[in-house]
């Protein structure tokens, strides 16, 4: 698992690119992270933690996301 901290905003495209094709779960709170090739984007909504899953990227990395986790996601992208 690779967690990309908000402090790495300038470097995150390179970090995600380096993990591409590897069996690495990428997670971040950076806005637009899942649209930029990250797998799980975490955000706050009404004092709750929510997340978006980019299932297409996860599958290309050889990762299987639990159906139960997919049900909890606010959005599941197939990218």
């Amino acid at each position: 698992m690779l967690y990309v901290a908000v402090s790495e905003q300038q470097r995150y495209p390179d970090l995600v690119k380096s993990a591409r094709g590897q069996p690495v779960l990428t997670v971040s709170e950076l806005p637009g992270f899942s649209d930029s090739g990250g797998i799980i984007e975490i955000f706050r909504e009404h004092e709750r933690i929510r997340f978006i899953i980019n299932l297409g990227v996860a599958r290309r990395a050889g990762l299987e996301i639990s159906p139960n986790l997919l049900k909890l996601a606010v959005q599941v992208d197939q990218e």
Side-chain angles (χ1 to χ4, degrees), residues 2 12-24 26 36-38 57 60-61 79:
L2 171 65
Y12 92 88
D14 292 332
L15 293 170
V16 169
K17 187 177 178 180
S18 69
R20 191 172 292 141
Q22 303 295 318
V24 176
T26 54
S36 300
V57 174
R60 283 194 300 280
E79 191 243 356

Side-chain angles (χ1 to χ4, degrees), residues 56-69:
V57 174
R59 286 181 175 158
R60 283 194 300 280
L63 301 175
E64 184 177 322
I65 306 294
S66 161
N68 292 330
L69 187 61

Side-chain angles (χ1 to χ4, degrees), residues 50-64:
R50 303 289 190 169
F51 57 95
I52 299 168
I53 296 176
N54 191 323
L55 191 56
V57 174
R59 286 181 175 158
R60 283 194 300 280
L63 301 175
E64 184 177 322

Side-chain angles (χ1 to χ4, degrees), residues 4-70:
V4 181
V6 174
S7 62
E8 296 298 322
Q9 186 166 6
Q10 298 295 332
R11 290 186 24 181
Y12 92 88
D14 292 332
L15 293 170
V16 169
K17 187 177 178 180
S18 69
R20 191 172 292 141
Q22 303 295 318
V24 176
L25 177 66
T26 54
V27 181
S28 183
E29 292 182 61
L30 288 165
F33 184 73
S34 64
D35 290 332
S36 300
I39 297 174
I40 298 179
E41 178 181 331
I42 300 169
F43 63 96
R44 293 177 197 261
E45 180 180 73
H46 306 294
E47 298 185 27
R48 297 185 77 170
I49 301 295
R50 303 289 190 169
F51 57 95
I52 299 168
I53 296 176
N54 191 323
L55 191 56
V57 174
R59 286 181 175 158
R60 283 194 300 280
L63 301 175
E64 184 177 322
I65 306 294
S66 161
N68 292 330
L69 187 61
L70 290 172

